[in-house]
Amino acid sequence: MSTDQLSLVFAALADPTRRAILEQLASGTRTVGEIAERFPMTGPAITKHLRVLEKAGLIRQDRKAQTRPRTLQAEPLKDAQAWIEEYRRFWEASFDRLDAYLQELQSQAADELTEERP
């Protein structure tokens, strides 16, 4: 996944309405009307959210008779998760180093207390 595409995915995920739409679509394909009925906003506002999700590659529009149902496309989420995973490893390693340092300080402090006692 290109960095630009990854930016589109993160931008799409930044909005709570779009995340809620993805949650809906995780349980199956929905029409725009089915998606819109759960939100207190206009149809055009929902359509704008759907366009952002489509541009990010997170959903696709199908054709079924007179309707245009939307379906979740999870692959970009997998790519975003892989990008985040790299930073999770970085933070875990940083916390491990901090933990080792704190244990060393505690050990030194305990040694100093032992040496000070007559």
Side-chain angles (χ1 to χ4, degrees):
M1 173 179 280
S2 73
T3 303
D4 291 339
Q5 187 65 29
L6 189 60
S7 295
L8 292 173
V9 170
F10 282 121
L13 294 174
D15 186 272
T17 299
R18 291 192 286 267
R19 290 192 307 269
I21 290 170
L22 292 176
E23 286 176 31
Q24 277 187 357
L25 295 175
S27 63
T29 299
R30 303 271 190 278
T31 65
V32 175
E34 291 170 332
I35 294 168
E37 68 189 18
R38 299 180 113 181
F39 300 98
M41 60 182 67
T42 65
I46 289 293
T47 300
K48 286 182 181 181
H49 284 295
L50 294 174
R51 283 189 191 126
V52 171
L53 291 168
E54 287 171 4
K55 187 175 179 180
L58 293 167
I59 64 173
R60 84 167 181 265
Q61 175 180 296
D62 299 319
R63 287 187 178 205
K64 195 173 196 179
Q66 299 298 322
T67 63
R68 304 274 189 271
R70 291 340 194 257
T71 303
L72 176 67
Q73 296 293 109
E75 189 66 29
L77 293 173
K78 184 178 173 184
D79 295 336
Q81 189 275 333
W83 185 86
I84 291 169
E85 180 66 21
E86 291 297 317
Y87 290 93
R88 184 188 66 78
R89 284 190 217 125
F90 166 79
W91 282 109
E92 282 182 357
S94 296
F95 288 136
D96 289 344
R97 286 191 305 275
L98 178 60
D99 186 47
Y101 178 68
L102 292 174
Q103 287 179 8
E104 180 182 329
L105 288 177
Q106 287 175 335
S107 177
Q108 288 174 359
D111 290 346
E112 288 173 7
L113 282 174
T114 304
E115 290 173 4
E116 290 177 3
R117 291 187 185 155

